[in-house]
DNA sequence: TATAAGATTTACT
DNA sequence: GTAAATCTTATAT
């Protein structure tokens, strides 16, 4: 079941970030299918979030796609090196985005190994840059429709119980003042033991969402 | 025009 | 633990 426009265009980006855990992201790039279960996400809440690229309504060539209606990809180059994949959500004009920070590889694993140039293991796709690299995502794909046949996300029926989800502050956003402490990071540990060498995530303390 | 810092990863020491 | 890789944006000359 491919996720719909209606799903992506919901208002609550934090709720959507939690919902994306356990969903499966597919790519069909260079004639190769790859897929993985989303294991870690972070919400970036549009114009009001100091950690967001669109804070204060900032529009640049890079961030313009964040203002589109939900259901497209926002992929940008971080530190000049890593291509970070985000899901744009919310209605048109509301620049919400969800950073995908980790996946458990499920399909096209040989292709992913070629792209990553490392063996499967803890670090294989447990960060935003490595996840994007495994899936073949590049910043040139920013703006790609997530309802097309290049990048899409499906609900395969994996149900993630609330007590398996760790919630905490986002990574690397110390510059964002008060917003750095917001509990907008969601991750699941290795609860898919049947998968080949699922990367482990470091546990963090579960905190209440207030 | 120049500089600094960033939603990071990797290879070294 | 530290450094290097080197694109985008913001701020300061």
């Amino acid at each position: 079941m491919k996720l719909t426009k209606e799903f992506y265009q919901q208002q609550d980006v934090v709720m959507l970030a939690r919902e994306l855990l356990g969903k499966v992201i597919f790519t069909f790039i260079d004639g190769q299918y790859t897929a993985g279960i989303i294991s870690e996400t972070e919400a970036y809440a549009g114009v009001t979030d100091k950690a967001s690229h669109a804070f204060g309504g900032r529009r640049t060539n890079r961030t313009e796609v964040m203002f589109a209606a939900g259901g497209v990809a926002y992929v940008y180059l971080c530190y000049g090196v890593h291509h970070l994949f985000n899901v744009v959500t919310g209605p048109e004009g509301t620049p919400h985005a969800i950073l995908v920070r980790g996946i458990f590889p499920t399909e096209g694993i040989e292709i992913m190994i070629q792209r990553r140039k490392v063996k499967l293991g803890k670090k294989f796709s447990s960060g935003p840059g490595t996840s994007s690299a495994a899936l073949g995502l590049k910043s040139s794909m920013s703006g790609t429709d997530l309802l097309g046949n290049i990048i899409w996300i499906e609900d395969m029926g994996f149900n993630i119980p609330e007590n398996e989800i760790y919630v905490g502050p986002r990574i690397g956003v110390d510059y964002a003042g008060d917003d750095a402490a917001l509990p907008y990071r969601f991750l699941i540990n290795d609860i898919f033991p049947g998968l080949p060498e699922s990367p482990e995530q470091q546990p963090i303390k579960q905190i209440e969402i207030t």
Side-chain angles (χ1 to χ4, degrees):
Chain A
M1 257 67 62
K2 203 179 275 194
L3 298 185
T4 63
K5 275 280 174 194
E6 288 70 32
F7 177 88
Y8 292 116
Q9 291 178 12
Q10 295 174 89
Q11 286 280 357
D12 187 344
V13 65
V14 178
M15 180 270 287
L16 284 172
R18 179 252 172 276
E19 285 288 309
L20 282 182
L21 293 179
K23 300 292 192 290
V24 183
I25 180 168
F26 289 81
T27 61
F28 182 63
I29 291 164
D30 295 332
Q32 308 281 5
Y33 282 102
T34 51
I37 299 169
I38 296 174
S39 61
E40 179 173 353
T41 59
E42 283 179 359
Y44 286 84
V47 299
T48 61
D49 179 356
K50 293 195 193 71
S52 168
H53 289 164
F55 173 67
R58 185 168 49 210
R59 283 178 183 248
T60 64
N61 285 342
R62 184 177 69 159
T63 63
E64 186 60 33
V65 66
M66 295 178 76
F67 290 83
V72 298
Y74 169 47
V75 189
Y76 78 97
L77 198 55
C78 186
Y79 297 109
V81 182
H82 303 289
H83 302 261
L84 269 53
F85 171 80
N86 299 250
V87 178
V88 174
T89 69
E92 186 174 0
T94 303
H96 290 162
I98 299 166
L99 173 67
V100 174
R101 292 188 56 90
I103 62 166
F104 298 138
T106 57
E107 234 181 279
I109 290 173
E110 290 305 313
I111 305 300
M112 296 197 205
I113 292 171
Q114 288 173 25
R115 288 172 178 156
R116 288 279 290 116
K117 301 185 176 69
V118 299
K119 294 181 193 170
L120 285 175
K122 287 183 186 180
K123 304 273 186 169
F124 183 74
S125 57
S126 60
T130 54
S131 297
S132 296
L135 291 166
L137 296 164
K138 296 181 295 210
S139 53
S140 60
M141 298 167 185
S142 200
T144 300
D145 186 352
L146 297 182
L147 282 88
N149 55 7
I150 303 172
I151 310 167
W152 67 97
I153 302 175
E154 292 191 27
D155 186 345
M156 311 275 286
F158 296 120
N159 195 31
I160 312 297
E162 288 297 327
N163 63 7
E164 295 283 355
I165 298 177
Y166 290 84
V167 182
R170 294 169 293 185
I171 300 297
V173 296
D174 292 345
Y175 61 91
D178 295 343
D179 292 341
L182 292 171
Y184 283 4
R185 179 180 182 224
F186 300 87
L187 77 84
I188 51 182
N189 282 298
D190 186 357
I191 64 171
F192 297 99
L195 295 178
E197 303 232 14
S198 300
E200 292 173 27
Q201 308 276 353
Q202 77 281 19
I204 61 172
K205 285 186 177 154
Q206 187 165 18
I207 65 172
E208 297 294 324
I209 305 178
T210 53

